[in-house]
């Protein structure tokens, strides 16, 4: 697992200066909380980018020793964690276990022998599973940014938008597009915590 993270860290040069400036907003929030931060990543359907962001942010926080950072995800509606997103996480060498069946299964993402797994399932951003106060709302897509102009009780609202890998759904490039997005998000979340302070 560490080799995967180190590979993404070696790619920080691929992040533009303007993008680093955007990412610093999240770094600053984590630093302002002395490393004790709740982060909810929000996208319209809570099916792709928000889950990938939740997972990689938790891994990055753990890698850099931010043991009191907790990551969550949500949407403006609940759907399901899209299979190609799960496949992209597995491609990175991370174990994903399905804990329940049905149209919106619950998954456990096991990334460490000592840390609790990341629990993933699609939900609205204000679901009772997520913090109800003292959190940053991180908007990962344009639609969520437009459709959720106000997130009640959020300490801060931060926009870190990603291109939707859904554009490749149904094409031969589908899985590769999800892997590319997953790797970009991993790289950027690692950068966020590399420049955060406790």
């Amino acid at each position: 697992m560490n080799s995967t993270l180190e590979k993404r860290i070696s790619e920080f040069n691929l992040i533009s200066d303007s993008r680093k400036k955007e990412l610093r907003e999240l770094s600053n929030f984590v630093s302002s909380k002395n490393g004790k931060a709740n982060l909810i990543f929000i996208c319209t359907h809570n099916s792709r980018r928000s889950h990938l962001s939740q997972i990689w942010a938790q891994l990055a926080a753990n890698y850099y020793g931010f043991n009191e950072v907790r990551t969550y995800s949500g949407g403006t509606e609940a759907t399901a964690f899209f299979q190609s997103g799960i496949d992209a996480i597995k491609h990175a060498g991370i174990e994903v276990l399905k804990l329940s069946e049905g149209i919106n299964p619950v998954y456990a993402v096991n990334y460490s022998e000592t840390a609790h797994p990341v629990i993933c399932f699609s939900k609205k951003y204000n679901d009772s599973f997520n913090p109800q106060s003292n959190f940053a709302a991180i908007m990962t897509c344009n639609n969520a940014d437009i459709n959720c102009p106000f997130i009640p009780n959020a300490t801060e609202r931060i926009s870190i938008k990603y291109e939707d890998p859904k554009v490749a759904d149904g094409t031969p490039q589908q899985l590769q597009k999800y892997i590319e997005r997953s790797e970009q998000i991993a790289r950027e979340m690692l950068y966020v915590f590399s420049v955060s302070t406790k």
Side-chain angles (χ1 to χ4, degrees):
M1 185 69 255
N2 277 1
S3 61
T4 299
L5 299 179
E6 287 160 9
K7 168 74 171 155
R8 301 285 82 84
I9 291 167
S10 73
E11 299 168 345
F12 283 172
N13 62 300
L14 299 178
I15 307 172
S16 69
D17 288 342
S18 61
R19 183 63 169 174
K20 285 179 178 177
K21 186 176 180 181
E22 292 177 0
L23 295 170
R24 285 272 190 165
E25 281 193 59
L26 181 50
S27 300
N28 292 341
F29 176 81
V30 172
S31 297
S32 75
K33 296 297 180 182
N34 299 314
K36 301 176 183 179
N38 291 318
L39 312 175
I40 304 180
F41 293 88
I42 299 171
C43 196
T44 310
H45 298 109
N46 190 208
S47 58
R48 295 169 174 82
R49 289 162 287 180
S50 48
H51 276 119
L52 293 174
S53 299
Q54 173 192 4
I55 292 165
W56 285 117
Q58 192 65 68
L59 268 70
N62 179 265
Y63 181 83
Y64 283 106
F66 287 83
N67 299 321
E68 295 184 82
V69 165
R70 299 290 178 266
T71 68
Y72 305 86
S73 66
T76 55
E77 59 183 284
T79 56
F81 190 175
F82 194 68
Q83 184 62 48
S84 291
I86 296 165
D87 293 341
I89 292 296
K90 289 180 176 178
H91 181 268
I94 301 168
E95 182 183 49
V96 182
L97 299 176
K98 183 186 278 190
L99 302 182
S100 71
E101 298 295 334
I103 60 172
N104 184 15
V106 177
Y107 298 91
V109 179
N110 294 315
Y111 64 95
S112 166
E113 292 182 359
T114 57
H116 291 294
V118 181
I119 301 301
C120 296
F121 63 98
S122 188
K123 69 197 86 65
K124 290 189 71 173
Y125 65 84
N126 58 356
D127 187 272
S128 60
F129 184 83
N130 290 343
Q132 301 300 303
S133 62
N134 193 29
F135 64 88
I138 300 108
M139 318 307 288
T140 63
C141 70
N142 288 336
N143 284 344
D145 214 20
I146 294 167
N147 295 334
C148 298
F150 176 69
I151 305 295
N153 302 324
T155 306
E156 193 161 336
R157 177 194 178 92
I158 300 167
S159 183
I160 301 178
K161 299 170 188 171
Y162 290 103
E163 180 188 347
D164 195 347
K166 182 180 180 180
V167 297
D169 285 3
T171 74
Q173 293 77 38
Q174 179 171 329
L175 179 57
Q176 186 55 40
K177 179 63 73 174
Y178 280 80
I179 291 171
E180 288 173 6
R181 189 63 58 245
S182 177
E183 290 179 349
Q184 178 197 3
I185 292 171
R187 183 163 56 242
E188 295 190 350
M189 290 301 109
L190 283 159
Y191 175 79
V192 163
F193 286 95
S194 74
V195 297
S196 298
T197 58
K198 298 178 205 177

